[in-house]
Amino acid sequence: MTTPARQIKLGAFLMQTGHHIAAWRHPDAQADAGRNFQHYVELARKAEAAKFDAVFLADGVGVRSTHLDSLARTARADHFEPLTLLSALAAVTERIGLIATASTSFNEPFNIARKFASLDQISGGRAGWNLVTSSGQAEAQNFNRDVHLAHALRYERAAEFHDVVTGLWDSWEEDAFPRDKASGQYLDAGKLHVLQHRGKHFQVRGPLNVARSPQGRPVVVQAGASEDGKELAARTAEVIFVAHQTFQEAQDFYADIKARVQRYGRHPDDVKIMPGIFPVVGRTQAEAEAKFQQLQDLVHPVVGVALLSTVIGDGDIDLSSYPVDGPLPELPETNGPKSRQRLLLDLARRDGLTIRDLYLRIAGARGHQQVVGTPESIADQLQQWFEQGGADGFNIMAPWLPGGLDDFIELVLPELRRRGLVRTVYEGTTLREHLGLAQPRHPAALRRAA
């Protein structure tokens, strides 16, 4: 039997009206997406018909912007809680993976383990958990805090949180529930494993009251690119969502993670690295640039400056008092996402960008790679990153929805398929099978087999 050729993994990163900060103003955008369930049903079905590996929902546990003038001009204030939404989408899709963000900072491990195990059962093995630590002060203030936990402490807590969740997912062996009516035996008590965790941050007895996942465990996804984030990802993540501005950055990160993974006794293929890509697609270059400029022209300066302040400082920095056409000032290190702040500071210094230049540069992709071009030129870039050690796949960030996703599906995917770079049919039914990740067996079963 021949081994199938390595192919690009694709996530559809769905953000309400689209990823561009002014997307909701696009004449073809679904402006009420934050409360429109049918909008998400149609997007998920389109992505599934196109054979994407998964849909992905980011999340924040609060309205992140406290700048009311900006908030009043964006579509970022209201959106569904992701696990609730994905549970509903599981009922109207059959194959596509369902990945949701849930914070380790403002949840308890038992609740997260139970919710994702339930989603995995409901969907038939299609669930993924995007583990984040949260960073915004506005989020902290919704959970009995004035300020957020320090960066290093967030990651220390997240590492223990992960271990508790995965331990709870191993509460039951694969065949722990015979449910034999004739004998009257519902479960085999010998295949129950009580966690009994007592650590620095958590005390959790267990067991989980949800049966073992159809895919062994839900897939664990992470998005941190700081030093702490990379180390946690190398030990625990199976998929990494990341932002890069250049191909060299992508190659360096890819090589770094694949090397770190091996230091934890893992195979490099055990982790799939999927940078975010913001594609604006036109049948000609001029058409693509016109589409992008249409969105850029809709960015109000108040919105742009507030966006930049949030992305670069996450509530700790306010750029509104600086001249918008002046340079980015020297900024202190914040307690927010350190990798994203460094990325933007380096970009501004390297390209000599003003505050206006920089907010327009991130108005769509927020630090992720932005590609504006034809199907062929976009496919060229994806192929280069994929084949030359920059990515295992991509998280597609549609500029506006639904049209931006439609453009990628209708124009770029046929070109990628012509090159044999993406699937034409699903090879399996679970998210792990889509991503080419092994199904973990229960540790007790492995010990018996040994």
Side-chain angles (χ1 to χ4, degrees):
M1 183 176 178
T2 59
T3 302
R6 179 171 171 261
Q7 292 185 314
I8 292 172
K9 306 303 177 185
L10 290 176
F13 185 170
L14 305 181
M15 179 174 280
Q16 297 108 290
T17 57
H19 282 268
H20 196 282
I21 193 64
W24 75 275
R25 299 181 66 191
H26 189 285
D28 297 327
Q30 187 70 45
D32 68 345
R35 63 172 182 85
N36 189 321
F37 173 60
Q38 194 58 39
H39 168 71
Y40 284 96
V41 171
E42 292 170 3
L43 294 175
R45 285 176 168 168
K46 286 177 180 180
E48 183 170 66
K51 306 301 184 290
F52 274 68
D53 293 87
V55 295
F56 165 59
L57 301 176
D59 191 38
V61 283
V63 177
R64 292 186 177 182
S65 176
T66 57
H67 193 292
L68 292 183
D69 287 346
S70 171
L71 189 64
R73 294 178 176 274
T74 64
R76 296 288 194 257
D78 61 327
H79 58 88
F80 293 114
E81 189 283 316
L83 272 163
T84 307
L85 176 56
L86 290 185
S87 295
L89 292 178
V92 296
T93 56
E94 295 179 355
R95 293 290 189 89
I96 195 163
L98 306 165
I99 301 173
T101 297
S103 170
T104 60
S105 300
F106 305 117
N107 282 294
E108 287 293 322
F110 191 92
N111 289 338
I112 291 300
R114 188 177 188 224
K115 290 175 181 179
F116 279 95
S118 296
L119 176 61
D120 213 50
Q121 293 288 352
I122 290 167
S123 65
R126 296 186 280 140
W129 169 35
N130 180 39
L131 184 164
V132 301
T133 62
S134 289
S135 55
Q137 183 171 316
E139 294 177 279
Q141 291 169 344
N142 288 336
F143 293 87
N144 301 310
R145 290 185 173 275
D146 291 324
V147 296
H148 209 334
L149 297 173
H151 188 271
L153 182 58
R154 291 203 302 271
Y155 276 94
E156 177 186 277
R157 188 178 190 275
E160 185 179 340
F161 194 113
H162 165 272
D163 293 347
V164 176
V165 168
T166 54
L168 288 168
W169 283 339
D170 283 339
S171 292
W172 306 96
E173 295 184 40
E174 288 84 351
D175 54 351
F177 292 92
R179 301 184 180 91
D180 188 331
K181 292 182 179 180
S183 68
Q185 185 181 28
Y186 186 80
L187 68 88
D188 181 345
K191 295 184 177 180
L192 161 63
H193 301 270
V194 180
L195 183 61
Q196 299 286 15
H197 175 87
R198 296 182 71 86
K200 178 178 178 180
H201 300 280
F202 303 105
Q203 297 181 24
V204 182
R205 178 183 182 275
L208 190 66
N209 56 349
V210 182
R212 187 167 180 81
S213 164
Q215 56 176 340
R217 295 175 182 170
V219 174
V220 176
V221 183
Q222 286 180 240
S226 66
E227 192 62 28
D228 290 332
K230 287 190 288 188
E231 201 61 23
L232 179 62
R235 183 172 75 84
T236 66
E238 297 170 288
V239 177
I240 299 175
F241 293 153
V242 65
H244 298 307
Q245 280 291 305
T246 68
F247 178 47
Q248 187 62 56
E249 289 172 8
Q251 283 185 312
D252 292 345
F253 180 87
Y254 190 94
D256 184 8
I257 290 293
K258 299 290 183 172
R260 290 182 194 233
V261 161
Q262 293 177 80
R263 294 203 294 271
Y264 286 101
R266 306 173 69 197
H267 191 280
D269 288 342
D270 290 344
V271 179
K272 307 300 180 185
I273 297 173
M274 299 176 63
I277 295 287
F278 175 94
V280 184
V281 193
R283 288 175 174 81
T284 65
Q285 185 65 32
E287 181 185 333
E289 291 173 1
K291 285 183 177 182
F292 183 57
Q293 192 59 48
Q294 180 183 18
L295 288 166
Q296 294 288 77
D297 290 344
L298 297 174
V299 181
H300 192 285
V302 167
V303 172
V305 171
L307 171 69
L308 182 58
S309 298
T310 298
V311 172
I312 209 167
D314 215 353
D316 296 333
I317 289 172
D318 180 5
L319 297 172
S320 61
S321 63
Y322 296 93
V324 72
D325 290 312
L328 193 69
E330 293 297 325
L331 297 174
E333 187 175 83
T334 75
N335 195 30
K338 297 184 185 302
S339 59
R340 190 60 54 86
Q341 184 187 47
R342 175 49 49 197
L343 183 151
L344 293 178
L345 290 172
D346 290 348
L347 174 63
R349 303 291 183 253
R350 185 183 69 231
D351 294 354
L353 303 181
T354 65
I355 289 175
R356 188 194 304 273
D357 292 335
L358 191 56
Y359 79 59
L360 285 173
R361 188 73 69 92
I362 68 166
R366 303 184 309 282
H368 293 269
Q369 180 70 2
Q370 187 167 277
V371 286
V372 180
T374 64
E376 294 78 15
S377 66
I378 292 173
D380 286 345
Q381 177 167 324
L382 299 186
Q383 183 171 5
Q384 179 193 21
W385 284 39
F386 175 66
E387 293 183 343
Q388 297 180 24
D392 296 306
F394 302 93
N395 220 8
I396 305 303
M397 304 166 59
W400 75 98
L401 289 168
L405 183 62
D406 292 339
D407 283 351
F408 186 85
I409 290 171
E410 294 169 11
L411 299 174
V412 179
L413 277 186
E415 180 61 24
L416 292 173
R417 287 206 174 97
R418 187 184 67 78
R419 304 179 190 195
L421 290 171
V422 294
R423 69 165 59 88
T424 57
V425 297
Y426 285 116
E427 303 87 359
T429 60
T430 70
L431 179 55
R432 288 185 178 279
E433 288 173 320
H434 300 342
L435 294 170
L437 296 170
Q439 177 162 327
R441 295 185 63 194
H442 195 283
L446 289 174
R447 286 193 295 270
R448 282 196 298 272

